[in-house]
């Protein structure tokens, strides 16, 4: 999104500071300040939650805790989830952030590009988690800095009772919303964040879902417990076999300038596969750098 610069003109999204980066983002309730430092030590990015992770009656205290802790939080690795536009909590959340160095927010239940536009001067991770939000994902992505999707509020908004089947897989409507958010973010050229995995004991299921997320194109997966962080990081880290295959593709492409398609190891390789290989090598380099 854009905000005003000192001369009153637009500032391109992310120009003043980069969007927080890393594959494992972690929610932390803002009314639990004793957890802030532990969350920051565990995850790549911490999302301090002023919305659903905090009981309504505890939200004033959560805002006070956030303001008190702001001096020790790393703005480059901290996101604040604020309440939906049009709610009293939203206005109070915005007031709590005033004059703080924390400039990246996650807007809960984002439902239009116009809502994002009200957050001028902030970097915005738009959370598309309602029927209207999923419907408007493409327009929302065009004015946001990143896009996340959510299943539980979506299903509740549709009148359903569960986003997942008994075997843990998402129902088709949730899978559709996930794909819509990913494609909208990709078309807008911004990162897409995969939604949370709520079964804390099913680390194998989390690993499978995180692997699918990175191989589909998500930039990160959001966690709800520190124990999920290393699982997500392992899933997002390319394997040695993947890296070797990618190197072979890139090297082979470099030795064949002007050739549109070629065979390598019994497989046809064309420009999309070369781009995928380059992206994987770039991701590996950034994770080790």
């Amino acid at each position: 999104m854009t905000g005003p610069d000192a001369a009153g003109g637009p500032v391109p999204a992310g120009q003043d500071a980069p969007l927080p980066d890393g594959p494992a983002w972690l929610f932390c309730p803002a009314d639990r300040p004793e957890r802030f430092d532990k969350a920051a030590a565990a995850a790549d990015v911490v999302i301090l939650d002023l919305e659903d992770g905090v009981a309504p009656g505890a939200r004033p205290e959560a805002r006070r805790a956030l303001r008190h802790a702001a001096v020790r939080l790393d703005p480059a690795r901290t996101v604040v989830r604020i309440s939906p536009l049009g709610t009293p909590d939203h206005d109070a959340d915005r007031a709590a952030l005033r004059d703080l160095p924390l400039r990246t927010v996650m807007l809960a239940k984002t439902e239009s590009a116009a809502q994002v536009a009200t957050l001028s001067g902030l970097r915005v991770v738009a959370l598309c988690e309602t029927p209207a939000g999923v419907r408007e994902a493409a327009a929302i992505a065009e004015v946001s800095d990143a896009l996340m999707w959510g299943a539980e509020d979506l299903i509740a908004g549709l009148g359903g009772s569960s986003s997942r089947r008994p075997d843990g897989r998402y129902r088709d409507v949730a899978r559709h919303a996930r794909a819509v958010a990913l494609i909208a973010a990709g078309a807008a050229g911004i990162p897409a964040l995969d939604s949370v995995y709520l079964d804390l004991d099913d680390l194998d299921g989390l690993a499978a879902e995180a692997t699918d997320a990175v191989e589909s194109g998500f930039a990160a997966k959001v966690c709800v417990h520190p124990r999920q962080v290393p699982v997500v990081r392992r899933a997002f880290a390319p394997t040695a076999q993947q890296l070797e295959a990618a190197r072979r593709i890139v090297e082979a492409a470099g030795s064949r300038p002007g050739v549109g398609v070629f065979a390598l190891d019994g497989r046809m390789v064309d420009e999309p596969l070369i781009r995928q290989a380059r992206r994987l090598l770039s991701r590996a380099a950034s994770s080790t750098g």
Side-chain angles (χ1 to χ4, degrees):
M1 79 180 279
T2 59
D5 64 11
V11 176
Q15 178 173 297
D16 52 339
L19 190 74
D21 192 21
W25 294 38
L26 175 64
F27 272 118
C28 179
D31 63 338
R32 301 299 299 272
E34 73 278 7
R35 297 183 182 178
F36 291 1
D37 292 336
K38 293 179 181 178
D44 300 307
V45 180
V46 176
I47 308 167
L48 297 180
D49 192 8
L50 291 173
E51 198 227 4
D52 282 349
V54 180
R59 290 174 186 173
E61 179 55 36
R63 296 181 193 107
R64 286 191 290 270
L66 178 64
R67 289 192 63 86
H68 181 73
V71 294
R72 74 172 194 267
L73 299 173
D74 181 358
R77 299 179 52 241
T78 305
V79 177
V80 180
R81 179 161 76 165
I82 60 176
S83 299
L85 200 75
T87 65
D89 278 318
H90 176 86
D91 296 336
D93 293 348
R94 291 288 303 276
L97 288 173
R98 192 172 297 129
D99 303 324
L100 296 186
L102 305 175
R103 309 309 297 160
T104 305
V105 299
M106 175 180 287
L107 179 59
K109 301 176 180 64
T110 308
E111 295 193 327
S112 71
Q115 291 183 346
V116 178
T118 67
L119 299 172
S120 179
L122 297 171
R123 290 178 298 280
V124 179
V125 179
L127 178 46
C128 296
E129 54 181 339
T130 67
V134 173
R135 182 190 63 194
E136 299 298 320
I140 291 168
E142 291 293 336
V143 295
S144 301
D145 294 278
L147 202 68
M148 180 179 167
W149 78 284
E152 304 315 319
D153 280 293
L154 172 66
I155 294 299
L158 293 170
S161 58
S162 175
S163 66
R164 295 183 185 266
R165 301 178 186 277
D167 64 2
R169 293 180 302 159
Y170 276 123
R171 298 186 186 278
D172 289 347
V173 66
R175 292 174 57 213
H176 172 75
R178 184 178 190 241
V180 165
L182 177 59
I183 293 169
I190 62 173
L193 312 179
D194 199 22
S195 190
V196 297
Y197 196 87
L198 296 178
D199 188 341
L200 300 182
D201 294 327
D202 184 14
L203 297 183
D204 289 339
L206 170 64
E209 193 165 282
T211 298
D212 179 79
V214 65
E215 292 184 354
S216 296
F218 283 96
K221 187 164 182 65
V222 180
C223 304
V224 292
H225 193 282
R227 80 171 76 161
Q228 295 180 327
V229 169
V231 178
V232 169
R233 283 180 173 154
R234 284 194 297 270
F236 273 73
T239 65
Q241 293 83 356
Q242 288 173 322
L243 288 173
E244 177 59 26
R247 289 191 190 98
R248 285 180 54 77
I249 289 174
V250 171
E251 289 171 0
S255 68
R256 297 170 171 83
V259 177
V261 63
F262 57 89
L264 179 67
D265 299 331
R267 184 186 186 193
M268 296 302 297
V269 177
D270 59 5
E271 181 57 27
L273 291 182
I274 297 169
R275 287 166 54 199
Q276 291 174 21
R278 288 174 176 153
R279 177 68 61 85
L280 188 145
L281 292 175
S282 175
R283 177 161 55 87
S286 63
S287 67
T288 58

